[in-house]
Amino acid sequence: MLRWFARRLLLAIPVVWGVVTISFFMMHLAPGDPARTALGEKASDASVAALRHQWGLDQSMPLQYLNYLKQLVHGDLGTSVYYHAPITSLMAQRLPVTIILVVLSAILTMLIAVPLASRSATHPNGLAAVAVRLFNAVVQGAPTFFIGAMLILFLGVRIAIFPAGGYPADIGGRAWALVLPALTIALGTVPIMVRGLRAAMIESYGSEYVAFARSKGLPERPIRYGYVLRNAGISGVSILGIQVGALASGALVIEQVFAIPGMGSMLMTGILNRDYALVQACTLVFGLLVVVVYLGTDLAYARLDPRARLS
Amino acid sequence: MKRLKTLCGAVVLASTVVLTACGGSGTGSGVAQSGGDLVMARADEATSLLPSVPTDNASIWVIEEIYDTLTVPDQSGKSVRPSLATSWTQSSDKLSWTFHLRKDAKFTNGKTVTSADVKFSIEQNQKSDAPFSFIDTVVTAIDTPDPATVVFHTKKPWSPLPADMALYANSIVPNNYGGKSATEFAAHPIGSGPFKFASWSKGSSLKIVKNTKYWRKGTPHLDSVTFTTVPDSNTRATQLASNQIQINEYPSNSSIKTLKAQPNLTVSMFPSSEIDYMSMNVRRAPFNDVNVRKAISLAIDKKAILEAVYYGHGTLAGGFLSPTTWAHNESIKPVPHDVAAAKAALAKSSHPHGFTTTIMVGSGSQDSSSEAQLVQGDLAKIGIKVKIKTLDPSALSTAKHAGNYDMAFGLYTTDIVDPDEIARFAGTYDGGSNTLYSGYKNSKMDSLAATASSSSQQSERKAAYDQMQQIIADNVPYVPLFYVPGIYSYGKVKGFHPAATGNYFLEKVQLTK
């Protein structure tokens, strides 16, 4: 198991390097001058040129790339030209927010998807199953930002249970403020999860081991949770793993809509201002997050299904 | 050019008088109370609180609350009034200005504001890497004969100096940053303004609290102000509706009607120096032909754009200097929409049958995108085929500076109340933007700008600025489109009335019950 995990870890290195390299060149090849953006419209060309020199932007692209890699190896993510602050300190503020948001979304996804999938799998032709299908179609068809806006309108303004956006200073307020954005992201994932889980559960219900358990006279409840859901959970874990990767990108839009100061909104600001160091650092961290989640998914999968370890 | 993003809304008025008459007074309903925390939601976050560093409004308008400047713009944006300096005089040879400082102003660390602090502060903004250093390059030396007197020596007679001293970048910081490095100071700034820095959670909120020892007694009324960053205009609107915030900076145009209909909310439009324009690159054919430029200006139905894109909230622009400045030339009227005249002008040009060109718009700006489509339709009527090209705001700015475009939209505002800065920026080739990126060069414009800045007679200055505006109107390197005010929506707030230069003057603001 340890060797298996170490191999997976080694395989992640080229993935991360690829992310770093692609993001570096994509950002640097895109038009737009960070020095001009930083100094504003009225700064003289001489000031802009001086700043470009100071930041090493007048060097050749391969040299800039090598310098960047060298910097990364030393654990230095650079300084944000937009925020005028070291990126590590910005990350320390922003990363936990996004991680909490993504984890909360994943938990909410499970809390909503499992009962829905379970209900529609046990009564595939019932009214509840039709309602779940309808819910899936509507939620999946609506863009995430629209769902967010609707939630703000009803739960933030009409009923006013949750704040309409923002991120207060106190811990309690923050937890409360994260509910709507997490729910919005979760709702984007729920339909996929429900479909996957439902199909896996229906397949499990038709399997021989369920027929055997029933023939032994085992009640329906332990069969559902001990046999069907446990086995369907294997596919659920992989779906969730893939979706958590997507959740990170969902955070990009949702953090903007709900004014949550996480990595997504920081990345957006970085892109718009050609803040190379900031964008590269965010991309790297998002890349690492996805790699870590996938590793975790593989690990969970291997734990649930020993056949995965053998392969 | 403080504003880096296109304003969501545009309610424009014909003149300052009309602006004031139509605009809100900033007085919400209810009884004013003392104290409380005012929460203002803004689209952008401050980037730095070190006066000589940022160029964005989100920073500038907070800096103006924390620090004092020697002078401050008055509400109308036409002149300056005393602040840290109680009076100022120009020498008889016109080559120096003496400012007398008030003696009761203290920094929040308890130290009295002295001439040494002023000298240090201005010198920070004179450094070549300071984006607004160009404002202070005219100052050759600063003398401090006593703690309450500062003398600025200038390269040439320089009338705009008192207005220059009201610029946020010339805010007064403690000498040598109070013994701290610039980075340390930026993290915990110290000023002598009405509010003092309290905390900053990057990406989320910035809090300033009342300076209880502020020299202007009786103010501020508020205990604190919290600036939150809420990029989405819909979210800001809903936060205001749910009373989570008290002021929404820049409500979207489309929401103004709805907001106005809500009894507990106020939408106010304040005079601003902002002008929206469409620039043409005269370095390239066919825009090097003045008849082509005139044809384009005549063909654009500006009124239709104003109605469709800005929901009618606006005034068509004439002269390139805003009505908020005393130098505005009222005799220059907006170019009328006249397709026949446009065709006639094009017929006289090097491209009588039209041509194909591109217009660049910034991504993420629905307003610019809609404007471009309307311009595309208008120009098609005279045989000019326009392709719309969308670029990131940063890429668009770079392309404009490099002269690598055909036509593009933009906006400009002034940072000081004297017309000098914007007359050079939008009127001269060497003023920072190559005449609003058009590349239009005219030595007459340079000499007029020089005359205006060196003369101490306002009538003489006005004559020069009038002429500059006429030259731009005649040669059309760009089309001034609209005069645009600042728009805010707010709830239980009284006394909120930003200046034409954008200053919030939050020390005058009160929450209401």
Side-chain angles (χ1 to χ4, degrees):
Chain A
M1 182 77 178
L2 204 65
R3 271 188 63 189
W4 171 87
F5 187 69
R7 207 171 61 233
R8 291 286 163 121
L9 212 57
L10 278 176
L11 282 172
I13 294 172
V15 174
V16 172
W17 175 73
V19 167
V20 165
T21 306
I22 292 169
S23 66
F24 177 90
F25 284 103
M26 280 180 80
M27 269 310 283
H28 281 72
L29 289 172
D33 181 359
R36 168 58 65 193
T37 312
L39 287 178
E41 297 286 296
K42 288 178 182 160
S44 67
D45 290 343
S47 303
V48 174
L51 198 60
R52 286 180 62 78
H53 179 69
Q54 195 184 317
W55 289 342
L57 294 171
D58 52 355
Q59 292 173 344
S60 69
M61 196 80 86
L63 198 60
Q64 286 187 55
Y65 175 63
L66 283 178
N67 287 338
Y68 173 57
L69 287 186
K70 223 185 286 177
Q71 197 183 307
L72 274 189
V73 170
H74 287 97
D76 179 9
L77 291 174
T79 303
S80 160
V81 299
Y82 179 77
Y83 288 107
H84 306 280
I87 290 172
T88 40
S89 73
L90 293 171
M91 285 284 177
Q93 289 183 355
R94 301 293 194 105
L95 188 57
V97 179
T98 297
I99 290 178
I100 293 169
L101 182 63
V102 169
V103 170
L104 198 59
S105 314
I107 293 170
L108 283 174
T109 303
M110 294 306 287
L111 286 177
I112 300 167
V114 170
L116 291 184
S118 176
R119 180 73 193 167
S120 68
T122 46
H123 303 85
N125 300 316
L127 198 63
V130 175
V132 169
R133 275 205 295 277
L134 192 69
F135 168 82
N136 265 9
V138 170
V139 172
Q140 203 169 11
T144 322
F145 64 85
F146 176 75
I147 294 176
M150 288 299 108
L151 287 176
I152 290 175
L153 193 63
F154 289 107
L155 299 176
V157 179
R158 292 278 164 83
I159 310 178
I161 310 170
F162 299 102
Y167 197 62
D170 59 302
I171 301 285
R174 286 182 173 181
W176 208 232
L178 283 177
V179 174
L180 283 191
L183 183 62
T184 309
I185 299 177
L187 285 176
T189 316
V190 161
I192 301 160
M193 182 64 94
V194 168
R195 268 213 313 274
L197 266 183
R198 181 177 170 275
M201 284 179 80
I202 288 172
E203 196 187 325
S204 281
Y205 273 123
S207 66
E208 286 175 0
Y209 58 82
V210 170
F212 176 68
R214 277 183 180 144
S215 70
K216 277 207 313 180
L218 212 60
E220 205 53 32
R221 207 176 164 79
I223 289 176
R224 187 188 306 159
Y225 293 108
Y227 287 69
V228 174
L229 205 55
R230 189 187 161 89
N231 280 289
I234 297 171
S235 73
V237 164
S238 10
I239 296 170
L240 189 67
I242 294 165
Q243 284 307 308
V244 168
L247 293 184
S249 63
L252 212 80
V253 177
I254 292 309
E255 285 179 8
Q256 288 286 106
V257 171
F258 285 91
I260 301 293
M263 292 277 295
S265 51
M266 188 162 77
L267 175 58
M268 198 75 108
T269 308
I271 293 169
L272 289 176
N273 293 287
R274 290 292 181 273
D275 194 339
Y276 291 159
L278 189 66
V279 174
Q280 281 153 201
C282 288
T283 320
L284 174 64
V285 171
F286 269 126
L288 280 175
L289 269 181
V290 172
V291 167
V292 167
V293 168
Y294 280 13
L295 273 176
T297 311
D298 283 353
L299 206 61
Y301 200 96
R303 182 118 191 112
L304 287 169
D305 188 353
R307 288 171 300 176
R309 271 172 278 170
L310 293 173
S311 65
Chain B
M1 195 60 54
K2 290 198 233 169
R3 299 271 309 275
L4 297 178
K5 292 178 82 175
T6 303
L7 275 179
C8 298
V11 182
V12 183
L13 311 158
S15 67
T16 307
V17 177
V18 181
L19 272 165
T20 312
C22 296
S25 63
T27 305
S29 56
V31 182
Q33 59 178 349
S34 191
D37 180 44
L38 171 85
V39 185
M40 183 191 287
R42 327 166 82 195
D44 300 301
E45 184 184 14
T47 58
S48 171
L49 296 181
L50 201 61
S52 59
V53 169
T55 58
D56 57 299
N57 280 345
S59 300
I60 292 166
W61 294 338
V62 177
I63 283 173
E64 287 165 347
E65 300 299 329
I66 296 175
Y67 304 95
D68 278 322
T69 38
L70 293 184
T71 57
V72 283
D74 74 354
Q75 204 81 54
S76 70
K78 290 184 192 293
S79 62
V80 290
R81 53 187 171 81
S83 181
L84 281 180
T86 51
S87 61
W88 48 92
T89 48
Q90 195 173 19
S91 62
S92 52
D93 65 358
K94 309 282 181 203
L95 286 173
S96 66
W97 281 90
T98 302
F99 285 74
H100 301 283
L101 307 185
R102 56 184 322 115
K103 290 171 183 158
D104 56 346
K106 287 185 190 311
F107 289 112
T108 50
N109 63 3
K111 300 235 169 91
T112 303
V113 180
T114 66
S115 54
D117 301 311
V118 175
K119 180 175 161 68
F120 173 78
S121 304
I122 306 304
E123 282 172 352
Q124 299 318 299
N125 195 48
Q126 285 185 309
K127 289 182 176 168
S128 61
D129 59 350
F132 275 84
S133 56
F134 68 92
I135 290 279
D136 293 340
T137 48
V138 72
V139 176
T140 51
I142 305 171
D143 289 342
T144 54
D146 65 65
T149 310
V150 191
V151 183
F152 295 98
H153 299 281
T154 55
K155 272 182 207 163
K156 49 192 170 183
W158 195 250
S159 291
L161 200 82
D164 292 347
M165 287 302 133
L167 176 72
Y168 77 95
N170 283 334
S171 290
I172 307 307
V173 298
N175 187 14
N176 200 24
Y177 291 126
K180 293 177 181 176
S181 70
T183 313
E184 287 166 348
F185 184 83
H188 299 282
I190 294 167
S192 60
F195 291 89
K196 60 181 178 180
F197 175 79
S199 62
W200 188 358
S201 171
K202 293 260 168 82
S204 175
S205 64
L206 195 161
K207 187 165 190 162
I208 53 176
V209 295
K210 176 181 188 168
N211 175 6
T212 50
K213 292 174 182 152
Y214 185 47
W215 54 267
R216 190 172 281 148
K217 301 299 169 204
T219 60
H221 304 291
L222 297 162
D223 289 333
S224 59
V225 180
T226 305
F227 299 100
T228 59
T229 313
V230 184
D232 188 84
S233 63
N234 291 321
T235 309
R236 290 199 300 278
T238 47
Q239 283 189 320
L240 183 67
S242 61
N243 201 27
Q244 221 179 304
I245 60 168
Q246 282 77 50
I247 299 178
N248 170 13
E249 191 179 68
Y250 309 149
S252 63
N253 275 316
S254 54
S255 70
I256 290 170
K257 201 175 167 187
T258 318
L259 287 168
K260 276 183 173 172
Q262 296 193 41
N264 54 343
L265 298 182
T266 308
V267 180
S268 278
M269 306 138 201
F270 299 106
S272 145
S273 62
E274 180 182 333
I275 300 179
D276 291 4
Y277 67 91
M278 193 193 79
S279 185
M280 291 168 276
N281 190 352
V282 307
R283 287 161 288 210
R284 285 184 180 176
F287 300 103
N288 54 355
D289 185 334
V290 69
N291 286 311
V292 167
R293 305 199 295 267
K294 280 182 179 170
I296 288 174
S297 181
L298 284 160
I300 296 174
D301 189 350
K302 301 171 201 75
K303 204 171 173 191
I305 295 175
L306 197 60
E307 290 298 326
V309 181
Y310 297 101
Y311 291 73
H313 303 135
T315 302
L316 304 182
F320 79 87
L321 293 178
S322 148
T324 58
T325 165
W326 54 262
H328 172 68
N329 186 343
E330 282 177 17
S331 67
I332 299 172
K333 303 295 175 200
V335 175
H337 172 55
D338 188 336
V339 179
K343 280 181 179 164
L346 196 64
K348 280 199 282 181
S349 78
S350 50
H351 288 69
H353 307 296
F355 53 91
T356 300
T357 185
T358 58
I359 188 163
M360 281 187 183
V361 294
S363 60
S365 170
Q366 188 53 46
D367 288 351
S368 290
S369 177
S370 307
E371 276 181 274
Q373 287 171 44
L374 291 167
V375 166
Q376 189 181 41
D378 287 338
L379 297 191
K381 289 175 193 157
I382 61 166
I384 300 174
K385 202 172 161 189
V386 179
K387 290 178 191 161
I388 299 170
K389 198 172 168 187
T390 307
L391 285 179
D392 269 0
S394 173
L396 178 62
S397 168
T398 304
K400 281 161 72 177
H401 273 278
N404 187 20
Y405 77 104
D406 290 336
M407 297 193 295
F409 294 110
L411 60 89
Y412 56 95
T413 59
T414 186
D415 304 285
I416 61 169
V417 295
D418 192 275
D420 176 68
E421 182 203 13
I422 213 63
R424 287 175 194 274
F425 184 74
T428 68
Y429 188 82
D430 297 319
S433 68
N434 303 145
T435 322
L436 288 186
Y437 316 104
S438 66
Y440 175 73
K441 230 177 207 173
N442 185 336
S443 56
K444 180 79 182 157
M445 294 292 276
D446 299 329
S447 66
L448 285 167
T451 304
S453 60
S454 59
S455 169
S456 45
Q457 294 298 317
Q458 185 147 324
S459 55
E460 203 180 329
R461 299 188 70 196
K462 176 81 167 71
Y465 289 130
D466 280 353
Q467 215 179 324
M468 285 181 82
Q469 290 170 82
Q470 194 58 55
I471 291 172
I472 291 294
D474 292 342
N475 291 279
V476 211
Y478 52 89
V479 184
L481 294 170
F482 316 114
Y483 299 133
V484 180
I487 308 177
Y488 295 83
S489 57
Y490 45 85
K492 297 172 176 175
V493 172
K494 188 180 178 185
F496 181 62
H497 199 158
T501 40
N503 306 52
Y504 289 146
F505 300 129
L506 290 177
E507 73 274 14
K508 297 177 186 169
V509 174
Q510 286 175 281
L511 293 172
T512 58
K513 281 180 186 164

Short mmCIF file of all heavy atoms in Angstrom, two decimals, chain A residues 187-215:
data_model
loop_
_atom_site.label_atom_id
_atom_site.label_comp_id
_atom_site.label_asym_id
_atom_site.label_seq_id
_atom_site.Cartn_x
_atom_site.Cartn_y
_atom_site.Cartn_z
N LEU A 187 -24.94 22.55 -5.05
CA LEU A 187 -26.07 22.29 -5.95
C LEU A 187 -25.60 22.04 -7.39
O LEU A 187 -26.26 21.33 -8.15
CB LEU A 187 -27.06 23.45 -5.91
CG LEU A 187 -27.93 23.49 -4.65
CD1 LEU A 187 -28.82 24.73 -4.65
CD2 LEU A 187 -28.79 22.24 -4.50
N GLY A 188 -24.48 22.61 -7.73
CA GLY A 188 -23.93 22.37 -9.07
C GLY A 188 -23.43 20.93 -9.21
O GLY A 188 -23.35 20.39 -10.32
N THR A 189 -23.08 20.32 -8.12
CA THR A 189 -22.49 18.96 -8.14
C THR A 189 -23.53 17.89 -7.85
O THR A 189 -23.39 16.75 -8.31
CB THR A 189 -21.38 18.88 -7.07
OG1 THR A 189 -20.61 20.05 -7.15
CG2 THR A 189 -20.49 17.69 -7.27
N VAL A 190 -24.55 18.26 -7.09
CA VAL A 190 -25.54 17.27 -6.65
C VAL A 190 -26.12 16.43 -7.80
O VAL A 190 -26.16 15.20 -7.71
CB VAL A 190 -26.65 17.96 -5.81
CG1 VAL A 190 -27.89 17.11 -5.72
CG2 VAL A 190 -26.13 18.28 -4.43
N PRO A 191 -26.58 17.03 -8.90
CA PRO A 191 -27.19 16.21 -9.96
C PRO A 191 -26.27 15.10 -10.47
O PRO A 191 -26.72 13.98 -10.69
CB PRO A 191 -27.49 17.22 -11.07
CG PRO A 191 -27.58 18.53 -10.39
CD PRO A 191 -26.62 18.46 -9.26
N ILE A 192 -24.99 15.44 -10.64
CA ILE A 192 -24.04 14.44 -11.16
C ILE A 192 -23.91 13.32 -10.12
O ILE A 192 -23.90 12.14 -10.45
CB ILE A 192 -22.66 15.11 -11.41
CG1 ILE A 192 -22.85 16.24 -12.42
CG2 ILE A 192 -21.64 14.10 -11.90
CD1 ILE A 192 -21.73 17.26 -12.42
N MET A 193 -23.79 13.73 -8.88
CA MET A 193 -23.62 12.76 -7.81
C MET A 193 -24.86 11.87 -7.67
O MET A 193 -24.75 10.65 -7.54
CB MET A 193 -23.37 13.54 -6.51
CG MET A 193 -23.13 12.67 -5.31
SD MET A 193 -21.65 11.70 -5.51
CE MET A 193 -20.51 12.73 -4.70
N VAL A 194 -26.04 12.48 -7.75
CA VAL A 194 -27.29 11.72 -7.62
C VAL A 194 -27.38 10.68 -8.74
O VAL A 194 -27.67 9.50 -8.49
CB VAL A 194 -28.52 12.66 -7.66
CG1 VAL A 194 -29.81 11.88 -7.82
CG2 VAL A 194 -28.58 13.49 -6.38
N ARG A 195 -27.08 11.13 -9.96
CA ARG A 195 -27.17 10.20 -11.10
C ARG A 195 -26.23 9.02 -10.94
O ARG A 195 -26.61 7.86 -11.13
CB ARG A 195 -26.88 10.94 -12.39
CG ARG A 195 -28.11 11.48 -13.07
CD ARG A 195 -28.00 11.48 -14.58
NE ARG A 195 -26.74 12.02 -15.03
CZ ARG A 195 -26.52 13.33 -15.22
NH1 ARG A 195 -27.50 14.19 -14.98
NH2 ARG A 195 -25.36 13.76 -15.63
N GLY A 196 -24.99 9.32 -10.58
CA GLY A 196 -23.98 8.27 -10.43
C GLY A 196 -24.34 7.29 -9.31
O GLY A 196 -24.30 6.06 -9.48
N LEU A 197 -24.70 7.88 -8.17
CA LEU A 197 -25.01 7.05 -7.01
C LEU A 197 -26.26 6.19 -7.27
O LEU A 197 -26.31 5.01 -6.92
CB LEU A 197 -25.27 7.93 -5.78
CG LEU A 197 -24.09 8.21 -4.84
CD1 LEU A 197 -24.57 9.05 -3.67
CD2 LEU A 197 -23.47 6.92 -4.31
N ARG A 198 -27.25 6.83 -7.87
CA ARG A 198 -28.51 6.14 -8.14
C ARG A 198 -28.26 4.94 -9.04
O ARG A 198 -28.73 3.82 -8.76
CB ARG A 198 -29.49 7.12 -8.80
CG ARG A 198 -30.84 6.55 -9.12
CD ARG A 198 -31.74 7.64 -9.70
NE ARG A 198 -32.96 7.08 -10.22
CZ ARG A 198 -33.10 6.57 -11.43
NH1 ARG A 198 -32.07 6.59 -12.27
NH2 ARG A 198 -34.24 6.07 -11.82
N ALA A 199 -27.48 5.16 -10.11
CA ALA A 199 -27.21 4.06 -11.05
C ALA A 199 -26.46 2.94 -10.34
O ALA A 199 -26.79 1.74 -10.50
CB ALA A 199 -26.40 4.59 -12.23
N ALA A 200 -25.49 3.32 -9.52
CA ALA A 200 -24.69 2.31 -8.81
C ALA A 200 -25.56 1.55 -7.81
O ALA A 200 -25.42 0.33 -7.64
CB ALA A 200 -23.52 2.98 -8.10
N MET A 201 -26.48 2.27 -7.18
CA MET A 201 -27.34 1.62 -6.18
C MET A 201 -28.32 0.66 -6.85
O MET A 201 -28.55 -0.44 -6.37
CB MET A 201 -28.10 2.68 -5.36
CG MET A 201 -27.22 3.37 -4.33
SD MET A 201 -28.10 4.63 -3.40
CE MET A 201 -28.96 3.62 -2.22
N ILE A 202 -28.86 1.11 -7.99
CA ILE A 202 -29.81 0.24 -8.71
C ILE A 202 -29.08 -1.04 -9.15
O ILE A 202 -29.61 -2.16 -9.03
CB ILE A 202 -30.44 0.98 -9.91
CG1 ILE A 202 -31.44 2.03 -9.37
CG2 ILE A 202 -31.14 0.03 -10.87
CD1 ILE A 202 -32.01 2.97 -10.41
N GLU A 203 -27.83 -0.84 -9.59
CA GLU A 203 -27.04 -2.00 -10.02
C GLU A 203 -26.81 -2.93 -8.83
O GLU A 203 -26.91 -4.15 -8.94
CB GLU A 203 -25.70 -1.51 -10.59
CG GLU A 203 -24.97 -2.58 -11.40
CD GLU A 203 -23.58 -2.11 -11.80
OE1 GLU A 203 -23.42 -0.91 -12.06
OE2 GLU A 203 -22.68 -2.97 -11.81
N SER A 204 -26.52 -2.33 -7.69
CA SER A 204 -26.27 -3.12 -6.49
C SER A 204 -27.52 -3.90 -6.06
O SER A 204 -27.43 -5.05 -5.66
CB SER A 204 -25.83 -2.23 -5.33
OG SER A 204 -24.50 -1.89 -5.48
N TYR A 205 -28.66 -3.21 -6.17
CA TYR A 205 -29.91 -3.87 -5.79
C TYR A 205 -30.15 -5.12 -6.64
O TYR A 205 -30.75 -6.09 -6.19
CB TYR A 205 -31.09 -2.91 -5.93
CG TYR A 205 -31.32 -2.06 -4.69
CD1 TYR A 205 -31.32 -0.68 -4.77
CD2 TYR A 205 -31.55 -2.66 -3.44
CE1 TYR A 205 -31.53 0.11 -3.64
CE2 TYR A 205 -31.75 -1.88 -2.31
CZ TYR A 205 -31.75 -0.50 -2.42
OH TYR A 205 -31.94 0.25 -1.29
N GLY A 206 -29.66 -5.06 -7.88
CA GLY A 206 -29.88 -6.21 -8.77
C GLY A 206 -28.80 -7.27 -8.65
O GLY A 206 -28.82 -8.27 -9.37
N SER A 207 -27.83 -7.05 -7.77
CA SER A 207 -26.69 -7.98 -7.71
C SER A 207 -27.04 -9.24 -6.90
O SER A 207 -28.02 -9.27 -6.14
CB SER A 207 -25.49 -7.28 -7.09
OG SER A 207 -25.79 -6.99 -5.76
N GLU A 208 -26.18 -10.23 -7.06
CA GLU A 208 -26.43 -11.54 -6.41
C GLU A 208 -26.29 -11.44 -4.91
O GLU A 208 -27.01 -12.08 -4.16
CB GLU A 208 -25.47 -12.57 -6.98
CG GLU A 208 -25.87 -12.98 -8.40
CD GLU A 208 -24.85 -13.92 -9.03
OE1 GLU A 208 -23.86 -14.24 -8.37
OE2 GLU A 208 -25.07 -14.29 -10.19
N TYR A 209 -25.32 -10.57 -4.46
CA TYR A 209 -25.13 -10.55 -3.01
C TYR A 209 -26.32 -9.92 -2.28
O TYR A 209 -26.64 -10.29 -1.16
CB TYR A 209 -23.81 -9.88 -2.62
CG TYR A 209 -23.62 -8.45 -3.10
CD1 TYR A 209 -24.17 -7.39 -2.40
CD2 TYR A 209 -22.88 -8.19 -4.24
CE1 TYR A 209 -23.99 -6.09 -2.83
CE2 TYR A 209 -22.70 -6.89 -4.69
CZ TYR A 209 -23.25 -5.84 -3.99
OH TYR A 209 -23.08 -4.56 -4.42
N VAL A 210 -27.02 -9.01 -2.96
CA VAL A 210 -28.22 -8.44 -2.34
C VAL A 210 -29.33 -9.49 -2.33
O VAL A 210 -30.04 -9.68 -1.32
CB VAL A 210 -28.66 -7.16 -3.07
CG1 VAL A 210 -30.04 -6.70 -2.60
CG2 VAL A 210 -27.66 -6.04 -2.85
N ALA A 211 -29.44 -10.24 -3.46
CA ALA A 211 -30.45 -11.31 -3.54
C ALA A 211 -30.18 -12.35 -2.44
O ALA A 211 -31.10 -12.83 -1.77
CB ALA A 211 -30.39 -11.96 -4.92
N PHE A 212 -28.87 -12.61 -2.24
CA PHE A 212 -28.49 -13.59 -1.22
C PHE A 212 -28.87 -13.07 0.18
O PHE A 212 -29.43 -13.80 1.00
CB PHE A 212 -26.98 -13.84 -1.31
CG PHE A 212 -26.46 -14.77 -0.25
CD1 PHE A 212 -26.83 -16.12 -0.24
CD2 PHE A 212 -25.62 -14.30 0.75
CE1 PHE A 212 -26.35 -16.97 0.75
CE2 PHE A 212 -25.14 -15.15 1.73
CZ PHE A 212 -25.51 -16.49 1.73
N ALA A 213 -28.56 -11.79 0.43
CA ALA A 213 -28.88 -11.22 1.73
C ALA A 213 -30.38 -11.24 1.98
O ALA A 213 -30.84 -11.54 3.10
CB ALA A 213 -28.37 -9.78 1.80
N ARG A 214 -31.12 -10.92 0.93
CA ARG A 214 -32.58 -10.93 1.08
C ARG A 214 -33.09 -12.35 1.36
O ARG A 214 -33.97 -12.55 2.19
CB ARG A 214 -33.23 -10.39 -0.18
CG ARG A 214 -33.29 -8.87 -0.18
CD ARG A 214 -33.99 -8.36 -1.41
NE ARG A 214 -34.04 -6.90 -1.39
CZ ARG A 214 -33.95 -6.13 -2.46
NH1 ARG A 214 -33.78 -6.70 -3.65
NH2 ARG A 214 -34.00 -4.83 -2.36
N SER A 215 -32.49 -13.32 0.63
CA SER A 215 -32.93 -14.70 0.79
C SER A 215 -32.65 -15.21 2.20
O SER A 215 -33.31 -16.09 2.71
CB SER A 215 -32.27 -15.60 -0.26
OG SER A 215 -30.89 -15.71 0.05
#
